[in-house]
Amino acid sequence: MISNQILQGTIDGIKAISRVELCVLDSDGKEVVSTTASMADVSKPAKEFVMSPADSQEIQGYQYFKIYDEQQIEYILVAGGTGEDVYMVGKMVAFQIQNLMVAYKERFDKDNFIKNLLLDNLLLVDIFSRAKKLHVTTDVKRVVMIVETSDKKDSNALEIIRTYYGSNSKDFITAVDESNVIIVRELDEGDSSREIEKTARNIIGILEREGIKGPHISYGTTVGEIKDVSRSYKEAKMAMDVGKIFFSDRDIVAYSELGIGRLIYQLPIPLCKMFIKEIFGGKSPDDFDEETLITIMKFFENSLNVSETSRQLFIHRNTLVYRLDKLQKSTGLDLRVFEDAITFKIALMVVKYMKYMESVEY
């Protein structure tokens, strides 16, 4: 339903224009919002008015109006004051609140629909029938984006994003838990991943300007039908998790750019342990000293180029060769050989994945 804050803002704005005092009560006669404290005695007449067949009535100098929600009385509006034509103003306010209720109810229904759609809680036939009823286009390009902040319980992110992007009725902004904000963004026909990236960058900028710390965004692939939105959501969720493990330096991660990390993320932990044991025995590849690890990572960054790696590490080429020989003796893998280098690189990623999963469990 409409929040009291919205109701208060509505009647305050109309009172400032019309000079008519307004009070909104619930169907039990309890005050919800008011522009003045002088209407404290309207509760009893409002209760009696609820029982009458009239939709509007003048009682003790005040105009009373019933506001319905699907034929049930939701609010009683009381209007009075020194302004001209109090009845007409009251009628307009009642009409405005009625329309606000319809709009907010439709928004609430759409929000529930999108949540159930994301979580795969709808049958295929229900997806299309409910989309039609809620006037949601079914055959346009969409992508799901997930926004996560350092403080996962910070609900401000949802309101901030809704404030800046919620005016676009084609996009849906919601949350299915306390951790993330979900944006189901509608794309134009010519939009590419560059436009999605630009949108994500804008959202991060907005959140940071509002004092939200450490925002990260992930997004799935573009889908052409509403029934596939849940797939894009699952991809975005995986991109968020895989990004934390293998791309911790990025604040925006796309599912389509996960590479081999996507495969490793789907491996069962027992299989990962078996792989590490087969390759390294009882030793883990990240147990090496810092100097060795820096050498390995720099060697990978330079595409196994010995000369360039030694130059960037400010060491003699023979020193680098000595370190690589030493590593080969301890692991049986020669990183100058492409196949061995791939095995070692994958092993490092597998260990990263296992450590992440252990930290999540505990």
Side-chain angles (χ1 to χ4, degrees):
M1 277 288 99
I2 314 172
S3 69
N4 291 354
Q5 185 179 359
I6 296 293
L7 279 176
Q8 188 69 58
T10 301
I11 63 173
D12 282 344
I14 295 175
K15 185 238 172 151
I17 297 169
S18 65
R19 293 183 298 134
V20 172
E21 298 291 356
L22 301 161
C23 180
V24 178
L25 305 98
D26 62 20
S27 57
D28 295 324
K30 184 185 290 186
E31 182 181 302
V32 179
V33 291
S34 179
T35 60
T36 177
S38 64
M39 285 188 174
D41 58 346
V42 298
S43 178
K44 186 178 178 181
K47 287 181 185 178
E48 296 171 355
F49 174 58
V50 168
M51 305 305 295
S52 76
D55 288 336
S56 62
Q57 188 175 346
E58 182 179 347
I59 306 173
Q60 298 173 356
Y62 291 120
Q63 297 288 344
Y64 286 70
F65 303 88
K66 291 175 182 175
I67 302 173
Y68 293 90
D69 178 18
E70 295 184 354
Q71 301 181 340
Q72 294 290 323
I73 298 174
E74 185 70 24
Y75 297 116
I76 300 297
L77 172 70
V78 184
T82 59
E84 296 180 4
D85 209 340
V86 173
Y87 175 81
M88 181 178 289
V89 172
K91 198 76 174 169
M92 290 172 64
V93 176
F95 179 74
Q96 174 72 0
I97 293 174
Q98 186 84 52
N99 285 341
L100 280 172
M101 286 169 57
V102 171
Y104 270 76
K105 193 167 185 180
E106 183 172 315
R107 174 178 168 179
F108 178 76
D109 287 345
K110 280 187 178 179
D111 193 57
N112 272 344
F113 169 63
I114 292 299
K115 284 179 180 177
N116 284 310
L117 182 66
L118 293 168
L119 297 173
D120 265 342
N121 290 339
L122 297 171
L123 296 173
L124 187 60
V125 65
D126 292 334
I127 291 174
F128 288 100
S129 63
R130 290 189 64 183
K132 184 177 180 181
K133 184 179 179 181
L134 294 168
H135 309 292
V136 176
T137 311
T138 59
D139 57 351
V140 296
K141 289 170 60 179
R142 290 184 173 93
V143 66
V144 176
M145 309 171 74
I146 296 178
V147 183
E148 184 176 288
T149 60
S150 294
D151 184 358
K152 293 186 178 181
K153 293 184 179 179
D154 193 339
S155 59
N156 289 336
L158 177 61
E159 293 308 315
I160 290 168
I161 295 171
R162 276 182 171 164
T163 300
Y164 281 91
Y165 287 89
S167 58
N168 182 359
S169 60
K170 297 188 297 182
D171 295 341
F172 301 100
I173 300 165
T174 188
V176 296
D177 54 39
E178 294 182 347
S179 302
N180 305 306
V181 177
I182 301 164
I183 304 169
V184 182
R185 185 157 182 79
E186 184 173 319
L187 304 172
D188 295 328
E189 195 57 41
D191 284 353
S192 63
S193 58
R194 184 176 296 178
E195 279 70 33
I196 301 171
E197 194 89 10
K198 185 178 178 182
T199 299
R201 185 59 59 194
N202 287 340
I203 293 171
I204 286 178
I206 289 165
L207 292 174
E208 288 179 337
R209 284 196 296 274
E210 293 291 337
I212 303 293
K213 295 180 180 178
H216 285 75
I217 295 179
S218 64
Y219 59 92
T221 55
T222 301
V223 296
E225 290 191 31
I226 198 164
K227 66 181 177 64
D228 296 321
V229 163
S230 62
R231 190 187 79 217
S232 186
Y233 171 59
K234 290 171 187 172
E235 292 170 348
K237 278 184 69 178
M238 181 183 287
M240 182 64 75
D241 286 340
V242 174
K244 291 175 186 174
I245 304 169
F246 304 119
F247 309 106
S248 56
D249 57 330
R250 295 190 201 173
D251 54 7
I252 300 174
V253 181
Y255 177 80
S256 59
E257 298 174 354
L258 298 181
I260 198 170
R262 185 192 312 152
L263 298 176
I264 293 172
Y265 181 75
Q266 298 178 79
L267 293 175
I269 295 296
L271 188 62
C272 293
K273 290 180 178 178
M274 190 185 301
F275 170 72
I276 297 299
K277 188 175 181 181
E278 285 178 2
I279 301 299
F280 300 103
K283 196 172 185 181
S284 172
D286 66 344
D287 286 341
F288 299 110
D289 58 77
E290 187 178 354
E291 182 184 77
T292 303
L293 285 172
I294 291 172
T295 301
I296 293 166
M297 298 314 297
K298 189 62 71 175
F299 193 52
F300 286 150
E301 284 175 21
N302 289 293
S303 303
L304 314 185
N305 187 308
V306 174
S307 299
E308 183 60 26
T309 302
S310 59
R311 187 185 69 79
Q312 290 189 18
L313 289 173
F314 303 103
I315 60 175
H316 194 276
R317 177 189 173 93
N318 291 343
T319 304
L320 176 59
V321 170
Y322 169 75
R323 290 180 185 177
L324 294 174
D325 287 341
K326 184 180 176 183
L327 185 65
Q328 182 183 2
K329 287 178 182 177
S330 63
T331 64
L333 297 173
D334 185 354
L335 299 194
R336 289 158 293 191
V337 177
F338 182 71
E339 187 176 339
D340 287 358
I342 286 182
T343 301
F344 200 95
K345 177 70 174 177
I346 292 174
L348 287 174
M349 294 177 73
V350 167
V351 169
K352 248 187 175 184
Y353 164 61
M354 289 194 299
K355 285 191 171 182
Y356 172 79
M357 295 306 291
E358 286 173 5
S359 67
V360 169
E361 288 175 6
Y362 293 105

